[in-house]
């Protein structure tokens, strides 16, 4: 790593620590449902068509939101709906209208299957301003296999084309890279460019949930490096802005495959309300990371008085992180890549790249 990049990482390290002290809430996830019309091979929540936990009533979430509103600038705090599949909720437009009325921009992460032209128009009218759609294969065969739903690729492509043509929308496509789509990344890039997509995020699948023991979903170190090189080249070409997701310290690839160095913002700038009312950070953090529950606790009090496990990461310097020479820049990787009960690191991006 050259001296210029080291200096940048040192400055960014100070920035991360400063942000942890400020802990200004800028992203609020609402896990509005655990129902899902797909059976994705990599699902970490094990979502099903009929979930054991019922959808949270809108009024319950709004009570939590209204307790936050006096303390933040709504125009700088985005609400992101996740699940499950948010489009499973029939009242999504009513939810969005309530957020918009309070001054909050809002968005969602979706598989796109239910995003028909009519529903998309209604959601935009209700204030939808941010949207992420998943596309995980070049062909129906691969995407539908991965997502567990026949016809899902075609529906996703139609939704992507529609969203990409909507100027007022902050929109990107996200792709989980696995062994069956790695060789198709160049062709997928060309497809997305032809659809008008400007932003494309790529992820490696982390070993939790249904993905834990499926060898087809995990990349070997050489494959992971191949993905990094693909992202670098695509960024140089400039036809579409490809980025690696926000997880994992990447060593020499930092600032080459995304705009800013690695920063796990969970509990620092990112909070969430899960389907059962649990208060956490990013929705992937459950179990021992739960900080309270909106049915017993005030969200804003919890945000300010708890979350220490996320704002001070020094406890992560154990096991394989204990003697790591890049720990100061990584500070234990993304928390969602640790066992939620033992804290053990399950995946290290930097190790993969050595």
């Amino acid at each position: 790593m050259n001296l210029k990049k080291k200096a940048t990482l040192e400055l960014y390290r100070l920035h991360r620590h400063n942000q942890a002290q400020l802990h200004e809430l800028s992203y609020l996830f609402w896990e509005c449902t655990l129902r899902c019309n797909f059976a994705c091979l990599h699902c970490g929540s094990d979502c099903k068509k009929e979930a054991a936990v019922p959808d949270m009533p809108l009024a319950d979430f709004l009570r939590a939101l209204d307790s936050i509103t006096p303390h933040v600038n709504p125009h700088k705090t985005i609400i992101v709906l996740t699940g499950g599949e948010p489009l499973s909720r029939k009242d999504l437009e009513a939810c969005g209208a309530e957020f918009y009325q309070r001054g909050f921009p809002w968005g969602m992460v979706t598989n796109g299957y239910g995003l028909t032209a009519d529903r998309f128009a209604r959601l935009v009218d209700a204030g939808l301003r941010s949207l992420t759609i998943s596309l995980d294969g070049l062909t129906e065969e691969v995407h539908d296999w991965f997502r567990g739903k026949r016809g899902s690729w075609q529906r996703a492509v139609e939704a992507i084309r529609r969203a990409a043509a909507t100027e007022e929308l902050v929109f990107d496509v996200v792709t989980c890279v696995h062994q069956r789509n790695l060789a198709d990344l160049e062709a997928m890039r060309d497809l997305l460019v032809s659809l008008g997509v400007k932003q494309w995020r790529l992820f490696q699948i982390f070993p939790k949930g249904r993905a834990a023991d499926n060898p087809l979903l995990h990349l070997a170190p050489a494959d992971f490096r191949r993905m990094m090189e693909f992202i670098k080249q695509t960024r140089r070409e400039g036809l579409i802005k490809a980025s690696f997701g926000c997880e994992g310290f990447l060593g020499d690839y930092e600032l080459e495959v995304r705009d800013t160095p690695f920063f796990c913002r969970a509990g620092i700038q990112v909070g969430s309300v899960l389907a059962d009312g649990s208060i956490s950070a990013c929705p992937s953090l459950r179990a021992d990371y739960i900080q309270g529950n909106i049915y017993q606790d005030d969200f804003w009090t919890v945000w300010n008085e708890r979350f220490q496990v996320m704002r001070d990461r020094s406890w992560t310097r154990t096991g394989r992180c204990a003697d790591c020479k890049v720990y100061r820049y990584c500070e234990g990787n993304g928390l969602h890549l640790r066992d939620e009960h033992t804290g053990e690191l399950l995946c290290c991006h930097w190790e993969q790249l050595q």
Side-chain angles (χ1 to χ4, degrees), residues 23 25 28 265-268 270-274 276-313 315 335 340:
H23 57 263
L25 182 67
L28 178 62
R265 302 172 190 269
I268 296 174
V270 177
S272 71
V273 176
L274 304 184
D276 64 355
S278 294
I279 299 170
S280 187
C282 79
S284 297
L285 297 182
R286 304 176 114 84
D288 290 351
Y289 292 113
I290 299 299
Q291 301 296 299
N293 191 291
I294 64 167
Y295 293 111
Q296 289 87 41
D297 304 296
D298 174 69
F299 184 99
W300 192 247
T301 300
V302 172
W303 178 255
N304 282 291
E305 297 181 0
R306 304 182 195 176
F307 287 91
Q308 287 84 358
V309 71
M310 304 177 200
R311 292 171 188 163
D312 179 359
R313 306 287 176 95
W315 62 270
L335 293 181
E340 293 169 339

Side-chain angles (χ1 to χ4, degrees), residues 240-270:
I240 186 172
K241 190 170 186 179
S243 300
F244 185 65
C246 59
E247 61 183 26
F249 179 71
L250 304 172
D252 285 335
Y253 285 106
E254 291 293 343
L255 301 173
E256 304 290 338
V257 296
R258 55 191 172 205
D259 293 344
T260 58
F262 168 65
F263 181 6
C264 177
R265 302 172 190 269
I268 296 174
Q269 295 171 333
V270 177

Side-chain angles (χ1 to χ4, degrees), residues 3-106:
L3 290 176
K4 182 179 179 180
K5 186 168 291 187
K6 281 187 176 181
T8 301
L9 293 175
E10 288 292 344
L11 290 172
Y12 204 77
R13 176 174 176 268
L14 296 175
H15 169 73
R16 289 201 314 268
H17 289 183
N18 182 55
Q19 293 302 307
Q21 293 295 318
L22 293 173
H23 57 263
E24 294 177 340
L25 182 67
S26 57
Y27 281 83
L28 178 62
F29 284 93
W30 180 28
E31 188 180 62
C32 64
T33 183
L34 283 178
R35 292 181 293 131
C36 188
N37 52 344
F38 282 18
C40 301
L41 294 178
H42 70 307
C43 182
S45 302
D46 199 24
C47 298
K48 299 175 181 177
K49 185 176 181 179
E50 297 299 330
V53 177
D55 293 357
M56 179 184 291
L58 172 60
D60 293 359
F61 179 72
L62 289 178
R63 279 194 292 273
L65 184 62
D66 288 340
S67 76
I68 297 168
T69 303
H71 307 286
V72 301
N73 182 344
H75 302 297
K76 295 182 179 180
T77 309
I78 186 167
I79 299 169
V80 181
L81 305 189
T82 184
E85 169 51 49
L87 290 172
S88 298
R89 289 188 68 121
K90 295 182 179 180
D91 66 343
L92 207 59
E93 293 83 347
C95 296
E98 290 288 348
F99 307 151
Y100 190 69
Q101 183 180 5
R102 287 164 169 77
F104 288 93
W106 69 279

Side-chain angles (χ1 to χ4, degrees), residues 11-276:
L11 290 172
Y12 204 77
R13 176 174 176 268
L14 296 175
H15 169 73
R16 289 201 314 268
H17 289 183
N18 182 55
Q19 293 302 307
Q21 293 295 318
L22 293 173
H23 57 263
E24 294 177 340
L25 182 67
S26 57
Y27 281 83
L28 178 62
F29 284 93
W30 180 28
E31 188 180 62
C32 64
T33 183
L34 283 178
R35 292 181 293 131
C36 188
N37 52 344
F38 282 18
C40 301
L41 294 178
H42 70 307
C43 182
S45 302
D46 199 24
C47 298
K48 299 175 181 177
K49 185 176 181 179
E50 297 299 330
V53 177
D55 293 357
M56 179 184 291
L58 172 60
D60 293 359
F61 179 72
L62 289 178
R63 279 194 292 273
L65 184 62
D66 288 340
S67 76
I68 297 168
T69 303
H71 307 286
V72 301
N73 182 344
H75 302 297
K76 295 182 179 180
T77 309
I78 186 167
I79 299 169
V80 181
L81 305 189
T82 184
E85 169 51 49
L87 290 172
S88 298
R89 289 188 68 121
K90 295 182 179 180
D91 66 343
L92 207 59
E93 293 83 347
C95 296
E98 290 288 348
F99 307 151
Y100 190 69
Q101 183 180 5
R102 287 164 169 77
F104 288 93
W106 69 279
M108 67 175 175
V109 180
T110 176
N111 58 43
Y113 192 86
L115 200 61
T116 62
D118 178 65
R119 188 145 207 216
F120 177 69
R122 286 188 278 121
L123 290 168
V124 171
D125 287 343
L128 179 70
R129 291 297 176 266
S130 173
L131 182 64
T132 294
I133 299 176
S134 297
L135 189 71
D136 298 297
L138 176 64
T139 63
E140 288 181 307
E141 178 187 1
V142 175
H143 179 89
D144 293 4
W145 161 81
F146 184 75
R147 289 288 171 178
K149 182 78 169 181
R150 180 175 291 182
S152 60
W153 183 87
Q154 187 61 48
R155 293 282 194 100
V157 168
E158 291 170 1
I160 288 168
R161 181 182 287 108
R162 193 172 295 124
T166 306
E167 292 185 2
E168 64 266 35
L169 201 61
V170 177
F171 169 63
D172 68 352
V173 170
V174 63
T175 296
C176 295
V177 181
H178 49 79
Q179 288 190 32
R180 289 194 66 184
N181 67 9
L182 179 64
D184 293 331
L185 291 181
E186 288 84 357
M188 287 188 68
R189 174 197 59 208
D190 296 343
L191 171 64
L192 294 177
V193 170
S194 74
L195 294 172
V197 176
K198 304 298 183 185
Q199 305 279 344
W200 184 24
R201 279 183 295 145
L202 298 94
F203 285 86
Q204 176 180 238
I205 298 169
F206 54 91
K208 282 188 177 181
R210 297 176 191 165
D213 300 313
N214 190 333
L216 285 177
L217 302 185
H218 303 296
L219 299 179
D223 294 332
F224 187 54
R225 185 175 289 275
R226 176 179 172 183
M227 178 171 67
M228 293 295 107
E229 289 296 326
F230 166 76
I231 295 173
K232 277 182 61 176
Q233 181 61 33
T234 298
R235 289 170 71 89
R236 288 195 195 103
E237 292 169 356
L239 297 177
I240 186 172
K241 190 170 186 179
S243 300
F244 185 65
C246 59
E247 61 183 26
F249 179 71
L250 304 172
D252 285 335
Y253 285 106
E254 291 293 343
L255 301 173
E256 304 290 338
V257 296
R258 55 191 172 205
D259 293 344
T260 58
F262 168 65
F263 181 6
C264 177
R265 302 172 190 269
I268 296 174
Q269 295 171 333
V270 177
S272 71
V273 176
L274 304 184
D276 64 355

